[in-house]
Amino acid sequence: MPLVTTGIAAWAPGVSLEQGQVLRGPDGDLIRRTAAGGAAAGFWGSAEQVKYARIQRGSFTVNVKHHGAAGDGSTDDSAAFARAMGALLGTVNVSAFPTSGSQVSKFCLEIPPGEYLITQPGALLNAASGARFTGLAIRGAGQDVTRIRFAPTDPGPTGSAYLAVNNDKASILQIEGITFSCSVANASFMQSISNGISNYSFRDCRWEGSWRWGFRLTGTNTNSEFTWSKCMVSGSWTSFLSIPSEAEGGNDQFLNYDFFTCSVFLTAGDFVDLQMGGNVNIWGGSYTFGGDGSTVQRLLSLRGNVHGSGVCRALVAGARLEIKHALSQAVYSEWNGGSILFTSVDMAALAPYVPASTVTAEFRHSAGPGPNIAWQSCSLMGQHKYAVSNSGGAYPRVATYRNCDMYQHAHGADMIVYDEAGTITSRGAYPQITFDGCRTMQPNGNQYAVDCTLNWDAASNATSGRERILQLSDSYGPPTAGGSWTVQLPLGAVISKVVFDRPSSGGGYAGTSWSYVITDGASTSVATYSPGSPWNAGFHSEIAAWRKLDTSAKRTLTLTATGITANEPTANLARVLVYYIT
């Protein structure tokens, strides 16, 4: 028969029950006394707890409202949250893995719909004493349905006021379905101090307002395996995820941070700031940096040039970035090794509104080969800066752009900026930068294919430049009489020869007074072909034209046709080919 639950009294301190008597426990569960004993001053976490057995429960939860939380937006619920969390932390049992020394939590902290005002740091979580344990869940009813407003009365001068503190106690921590807001710029969301704890997950959460840090990670080991899924972040921050320098408590043992389909709009600060640790992944989502342009904002700030092996790796895949001002960047890196990959990332939506000289990616290293940098199938704007402060030695330094569209520059060479730090003037220290299958997509409608390698002739241990072929024509072939066609080759490329070719055909222009002329941007002749034979009779000529394109004028080539008055038959297109090394 089902248990009758109506009319059952609630347990309270001082209540004494006979063995076998049933009452309602402090979390709403029904309990039955299983051992004799007197009244108790407390329940959860006390010796009295072991004398009761739960006989019915709706869920494995500790509800903050059962511990006095009002959730009305004006009542200070700090004490109620502390009581509820105390009740939850009092339910841990010995782990199934006794050699680990950990314990296992049996409950979840439930926060029903409402707005909860918290003024005391640590009220949401203050795991600072006792044994380590695993399995802590904090659940609200959904973003903006359950809201926690953190308004500490004394945040401290250095952001020492945290809504949640995990001092090396809780692993496998889960928080979901809550909006967190704050308007105290020195306050922070969570401090995680780890000498071996890991595995945090946050789902369907939102952080808004003004904060110092979202997550500040310190300690000596682990503090790893953090996941944010379908979360939103907005407002002003120093940084959302922060791992400080080793001197401030950071460590290279902190690894593996994943963001899945998150929506981020920051008016100040960085999203991820890693001075130690690494292995960060951003999968999908939208990231906007909409500050007033007075300070730098970065999606990834990868600082520090001395790191442990296997630490320096960053991936951004399938995300959309909005660069709204000239001091916002997709990535800033000081890493001396590792890998940085952007793939299928769109960051060019605001290209018409932000200066083309905006440095949207910056790579600085002081020793070693630097990171292996790759951009694949991305839409790019602004310039990418490569800076070094040493001579490079024998290190091969590489960066690759593959199948990318560039929206503000006529060529890959225009998008790349080299910055020499200190007294370094050797081009050998700069990376070999390869563009493969890329295109320019300029607002004026001019589009060029970009297929080249920059700095191939000077970078340390660079592979030799590849010979490439450019066809000087539009979709109808080379221009006819009075027409011209202009292209730009990579700065630093070397032209080796020019080929004029057309198969024999009965169609087309039959005259003999015709010529092709190629000039550069300074009107200097590069190659001329005028054989004096009928154009439709066909021709083939290879003209040596060794020429280094070391200025903007030299790299700009214009093909002009004279004397050809008939349109070219599409089946017999003439070809003007420029062979160049880059």
Side-chain angles (χ1 to χ4, degrees):
M1 296 180 62
L3 182 69
V4 178
T5 62
T6 57
I8 298 177
W11 177 89
V15 174
S16 181
L17 297 178
E18 298 295 330
Q19 188 170 344
Q21 189 173 349
V22 175
L23 77 164
R24 191 174 298 278
D27 60 352
D29 294 340
L30 298 181
I31 56 178
R32 177 185 287 118
R33 184 153 194 149
T34 58
F43 188 79
W44 302 126
S46 71
E48 190 72 7
Q49 177 184 348
V50 301
K51 301 176 182 178
Y52 293 86
R54 295 177 180 82
I55 58 176
Q56 179 175 309
R57 67 184 340 134
S59 61
F60 293 87
T61 62
V62 171
N63 191 315
V64 294
K65 288 205 169 183
H66 294 165
H67 291 266
D72 59 9
S74 58
T75 301
D76 188 350
D77 288 324
S78 300
F81 270 71
R83 285 194 298 269
M85 183 55 70
L88 187 149
L89 296 180
T91 66
V92 296
N93 290 333
V94 176
S95 171
F97 309 99
T99 57
S100 70
S102 295
Q103 300 189 18
V104 178
S105 170
K106 295 290 187 180
F107 274 33
C108 161
L109 183 68
E110 182 181 65
I111 309 175
E115 182 175 357
Y116 300 85
L117 172 64
I118 302 294
T119 64
Q120 297 304 310
L124 180 65
L125 172 64
N126 191 10
S129 61
R132 285 182 183 172
F133 62 94
T134 63
L136 174 61
I138 301 173
R139 294 196 174 100
Q143 283 188 43
D144 286 349
V145 180
T146 295
R147 298 179 59 89
I148 294 177
R149 180 162 58 91
F150 187 38
T153 54
D154 182 14
T158 59
S160 57
Y162 293 89
L163 180 59
V165 177
N166 186 12
N167 191 349
D168 199 39
K169 300 304 174 187
S171 285
I172 313 181
L173 170 64
Q174 305 168 58
I175 298 180
E176 66 177 63
I178 304 172
T179 291
F180 302 96
S181 66
C182 180
S183 58
V184 181
N186 246 355
S188 301
F189 176 70
M190 176 176 283
Q191 181 182 35
S192 178
I193 306 169
S194 172
N195 300 314
I197 60 172
S198 62
N199 288 287
Y200 291 56
S201 66
F202 306 88
R203 180 179 177 84
D204 189 32
C205 289
R206 180 177 179 179
W207 292 266
E208 62 183 15
S210 297
W211 303 74
R212 183 163 189 176
W213 296 304
F215 296 82
R216 179 77 163 176
L217 311 187
T218 59
T220 61
N221 192 21
T222 316
N223 232 344
S224 301
E225 317 302 336
F226 280 60
T227 300
W228 293 263
S229 178
K230 289 191 172 182
C231 291
M232 298 180 68
V233 183
S234 61
S236 174
W237 303 75
T238 297
S239 58
F240 181 70
L241 172 60
S242 170
I243 300 179
S245 66
E246 192 169 20
E248 294 180 311
N251 196 282
D252 267 346
Q253 295 294 325
F254 300 173
L255 301 168
N256 302 336
Y257 307 97
D258 289 88
F259 298 88
F260 293 94
T261 58
C262 293
S263 177
V264 175
F265 191 112
L266 301 189
T267 56
D270 298 335
F271 185 60
V272 173
D273 179 23
L274 305 183
Q275 297 186 53
M276 301 294 291
N279 281 12
V280 58
N281 303 297
I282 294 177
W283 306 91
S286 176
Y287 298 81
T288 301
F289 300 92
D292 60 8
S294 61
T295 58
V296 175
Q297 291 184 266
R298 295 162 174 151
L299 175 68
L300 296 177
S301 180
L302 310 175
R303 296 195 280 165
N305 50 39
V306 179
H307 292 279
S309 177
V311 171
C312 300
R313 190 193 59 75
L315 166 68
V316 181
R320 185 177 187 273
L321 310 185
E322 285 198 5
I323 306 295
K324 284 181 170 286
H325 60 83
L327 291 181
S328 51
Q329 295 181 325
V331 58
Y332 170 86
S333 171
E334 296 174 355
W335 287 352
N336 281 336
S339 67
I340 299 172
L341 170 62
F342 282 70
T343 181
S344 191
V345 173
D346 184 350
M347 54 183 291
L350 298 180
Y353 310 104
V354 177
S357 59
T358 299
V359 176
T360 56
E362 185 170 353
F363 305 96
R364 293 183 172 271
H365 54 274
S366 58
N372 195 325
I373 301 163
W375 301 77
Q376 299 178 353
S377 302
C378 296
S379 297
L380 304 176
M381 60 174 280
Q383 293 182 310
H384 291 189
K385 178 181 289 187
Y386 292 83
V388 295
S389 58
N390 71 330
S391 60
Y395 297 114
R397 293 169 171 167
V398 295
T400 303
Y401 296 79
R402 181 168 287 113
N403 301 115
C404 293
D405 288 337
M406 296 171 287
Y407 278 78
Q408 292 179 306
H409 300 285
H411 202 279
D414 301 324
M415 195 183 76
I416 302 302
V417 177
Y418 294 118
D419 182 27
E420 297 169 348
T423 60
I424 302 302
T425 58
S426 170
R427 285 181 55 209
Y430 295 125
Q432 176 176 306
I433 300 176
T434 300
F435 290 85
D436 185 6
C438 297
R439 304 177 297 183
T440 65
M441 310 289 288
Q442 297 182 90
N444 61 12
N446 292 336
Q447 300 180 11
Y448 304 110
V450 179
D451 198 15
C452 68
T453 299
L454 305 180
N455 211 35
W456 62 270
D457 56 342
S460 296
N461 277 340
T463 57
S464 60
R466 291 183 292 173
E467 186 174 62
R468 304 167 192 268
I469 304 173
L470 172 68
Q471 179 165 289
L472 282 172
S473 68
D474 60 17
S475 58
Y476 296 101
T480 53
S484 63
W485 185 255
T486 299
V487 298
Q488 286 186 321
L489 269 64
L491 191 66
V494 176
I495 295 177
S496 59
K497 67 178 178 180
V498 178
V499 174
F500 299 90
D501 180 86
R502 183 186 187 279
S504 174
S505 170
Y509 178 61
T512 58
S513 297
W514 62 274
S515 66
Y516 283 122
V517 178
I518 300 176
T519 56
D520 66 13
S523 300
T524 302
S525 176
V526 175
T528 299
Y529 183 60
S530 181
S533 59
W535 185 72
N536 62 5
F539 50 85
H540 180 87
S541 177
E542 299 186 14
I543 300 175
W546 191 263
R547 181 181 180 84
K548 188 168 184 178
L549 311 182
D550 53 5
T551 67
S552 179
K554 288 181 180 179
R555 62 180 271 207
T556 302
L557 303 182
T558 298
L559 171 66
T560 303
T562 60
I564 305 171
T565 58
N567 291 328
E568 169 74 307
T570 57
N572 296 287
L573 289 176
R575 291 179 294 275
V576 177
L577 308 177
V578 178
Y579 288 69
Y580 66 99
I581 302 170
T582 183

